[in-house]
Amino acid sequence: MPDALAHLQMAHLEALERRYADAMSALGYDGVLIFSGHPALHFGDDQHANFCSYGHFQHWTGQAGLAHSWLLVQPGQRTTCFVHAPDDFWHLPPSLPDEGWTDYLEVISGRFETPPAVKASRLAVIGDVAEATARALGAECNPPALLTALDEGRVRKSEYEIACLSEANRMALRGHQAARAAFLAGESELDIQLAYLKASRQRESDVPYGNIVGLGAHGAVLHYQHYDSEAPASRYSLLVDAGYRYRGYCADITRSWPGPDADPAFAALITHMHDIKQQLVAALAPGVDFVALHERMHRLLAALLVESELVAGSAEAAVEGGITRAFCPHGLGHLLGVQVHDVAGRTSREGIPLPPPPEHPALRLTRELEPGMTVTIEPGLYFIPMLLGPLQASPAGSDVNWSLVERLLPHGGIRIEDNVAIATHSVRNLTMEHE
């Protein structure tokens, strides 16, 4: 079957070759060898951990599962992908997809546990490469200036990348819909996870990050990592943070739903959090300072806390007193691409660090927005005992309606997350267009 995205992928690869050539010329390299990586053994065992190939390797090929493979970029020569595909009766050798890159690049299959020989006067090798391997190649290993330039090249997405991110969102939403149906049918976290995987056509080792499936109070653990096999007696809420990887590109979507036993106040909070998310998406545009947008999220959250009678006093006091940070300790969002938390979110174009404000240390994106960026927007509101305890003991805690907080604690929390591509004069909500 012809590859419907082939023409877009060709344009993407042509732009990659120009970008690499410019970076290499500026820094004096005539060759870059990219290692896909290799699976790591568990200590004292003969079993390997789950593997995902290096982001810059995926940027060319979209292949997250190709281990021990290499990609050689040399200006003026055809870019070559050395695919490690040895004869093996223990494992099935990898087969390449019917995609445009396999025609555009020179593809050489064979055994590549050791890197291919490269003729270059000044070679850089990047990825999880040992210094001894780099010395044997006569190469510089992960030179910082080159990595800064290549990371920056992933910040703004091509049309091809946006198409891949859109398809990843479409498939992830199939899983979210199945997860909600399983929840309403009374299933356990494990069964909800299995329903998600089945509907989105993924095995667990293929998801771009560990799916978060939290019933009730588990929704207040931001990266909840377990799947209870028994359904709880009361079904207050479900939070699902789960994605999909398409040609290397990741969807990262979160939805929260009230259950049949939910407090009406919690169900109303979910509705309002959807509204807050929509307001923040509508505010996205080139030139917007993402730190300022994160701070706007806190102001909107403060207004909701006051309106819902969780907090007395003013919204301004709720922000200044740290109340909103106790209810939402994470950042508003991050860059998205072949990595869920994509590179260069906290650096300038020149690679200068842009650390988050001290009061918002978890913020993963601190840049001004630009056309081509794809970001997540994920406001949250949680009832986390670890954070609410110190708040209750502080002067600001006197403004909190602790009896209402106690009622809502079993519901865990709310996170609503969309993936949004930013263009020069518009934004495209890749999540909502498939929902």
Side-chain angles (χ1 to χ4, degrees):
M1 179 182 297
D3 178 9
L5 296 181
H7 67 293
L8 290 179
Q9 190 173 38
M10 296 302 173
H12 169 74
L13 292 170
E14 289 170 358
L16 266 185
E17 288 188 330
R18 291 192 297 270
R19 192 176 303 131
Y20 269 63
D22 289 345
M24 293 161 68
S25 175
L27 297 169
Y29 296 98
D30 62 342
V32 174
L33 187 61
I34 307 172
F35 184 39
S36 68
H38 60 89
L41 281 168
H42 292 296
F43 181 74
D45 200 347
D46 64 354
Q47 299 294 307
H48 290 90
N50 285 349
F51 169 75
C52 182
S53 61
Y54 181 37
H56 286 298
F57 183 87
Q58 289 190 64
H59 201 200
W60 288 85
T61 67
Q63 299 300 293
L66 279 183
H68 297 291
S69 297
W70 304 80
L71 194 139
L72 177 62
V73 186
Q74 292 183 294
Q77 301 184 37
R78 190 178 181 190
T79 300
T80 303
C81 185
F82 299 89
V83 177
H84 182 65
D87 292 333
D88 186 0
F89 57 80
W90 289 105
H91 303 96
L92 186 67
S95 58
L96 298 183
D98 184 14
E99 295 175 7
W101 71 270
T102 60
D103 293 324
Y104 188 89
L105 307 181
E106 182 177 2
V107 177
I108 300 175
S109 296
R111 297 193 70 99
F112 297 107
E113 292 97 338
T114 57
V118 177
K119 292 181 180 180
S121 59
R122 189 179 178 206
L123 176 69
V125 59
I126 62 174
D128 185 11
V129 179
E131 286 288 350
T133 300
R135 285 195 299 271
L137 286 164
E140 298 175 36
C141 189
N142 293 314
L146 179 62
L147 290 181
T148 294
L150 299 183
D151 284 354
E152 183 63 23
R154 283 168 46 189
V155 169
R156 289 157 293 280
K157 272 54 183 182
S158 65
E159 286 187 64
Y160 169 73
E161 293 176 285
I162 298 296
C164 292
L165 289 163
S166 176
E167 178 62 13
N169 270 259
R170 186 183 73 84
M171 292 299 294
L173 282 169
R174 289 174 53 173
H176 279 273
Q177 292 158 4
R180 184 187 187 193
F183 167 55
L184 295 177
E187 301 284 4
S188 69
E189 290 172 346
L190 176 60
D191 292 315
I192 294 168
Q193 161 74 344
L194 295 175
Y196 183 96
L197 295 174
K198 181 178 180 180
S200 59
R201 310 308 296 163
Q202 300 180 87
R203 55 188 290 181
E204 197 159 53
S205 58
D206 291 336
V207 295
Y209 57 95
N211 288 354
I212 300 166
V213 180
L215 289 171
H218 291 162
V221 181
L222 299 186
H223 287 171
Y224 176 66
Q225 71 275 40
H226 304 293
Y227 306 118
D228 279 353
S229 59
E230 299 295 330
S234 298
R235 288 179 290 153
Y236 295 111
S237 61
L238 171 66
L239 185 151
V240 175
D241 185 338
Y244 186 89
R245 189 189 300 276
Y246 180 73
R247 299 192 179 195
Y249 291 86
C250 305
D252 178 8
I253 301 170
T254 311
R255 289 293 182 264
S256 301
W257 296 286
D261 301 314
D263 190 301
F266 186 79
L269 287 172
I270 291 179
T271 298
H272 287 302
M273 289 300 292
H274 276 280
D275 293 340
I276 287 175
K277 182 266 297 179
Q278 288 293 87
Q279 291 182 61
L280 294 168
V281 169
L284 295 173
V288 169
D289 181 348
F290 202 79
V291 175
L293 193 63
H294 170 85
E295 291 169 344
R296 180 178 176 184
M297 175 192 74
H298 277 272
R299 293 193 296 273
L300 292 170
L301 182 59
L304 174 58
L305 292 173
V306 171
E307 179 185 345
S308 61
E309 300 183 349
L310 274 161
V311 171
S314 69
E316 292 78 8
V319 174
E320 293 170 4
I323 292 175
T324 57
R325 294 196 297 275
F327 282 96
C328 183
H330 61 70
L332 172 60
H334 50 79
L335 293 175
L336 185 69
V338 293
Q339 290 173 228
V340 175
H341 301 144
D342 215 2
V343 291
R346 287 180 168 185
T347 59
S348 69
R349 279 178 172 260
E350 298 74 29
I352 299 170
L354 299 173
E359 63 271 25
H360 302 295
L363 184 58
R364 291 189 171 98
L365 178 54
T366 54
R367 300 175 59 147
E368 283 191 1
L369 299 179
E370 302 175 38
M373 285 183 173
T374 299
V375 301
T376 66
I377 295 296
E378 47 184 303
L381 193 166
Y382 311 88
F383 301 93
I384 305 173
M386 175 183 172
L387 301 181
L388 295 176
L391 175 62
Q392 189 169 17
S394 73
S398 61
D399 287 337
V400 177
N401 182 343
W402 293 107
S403 62
L404 181 53
V405 168
E406 191 69 24
R407 272 172 43 200
L408 297 178
L409 273 172
H411 299 71
I414 303 164
R415 183 162 62 253
I416 310 296
E417 179 181 16
D418 286 359
N419 305 167
V420 185
I422 299 165
T424 302
H425 301 295
S426 63
V427 298
R428 179 180 171 190
N429 191 323
L430 304 176
T431 307
M432 291 291 288
E433 71 182 15
H434 294 298
E435 197 164 36

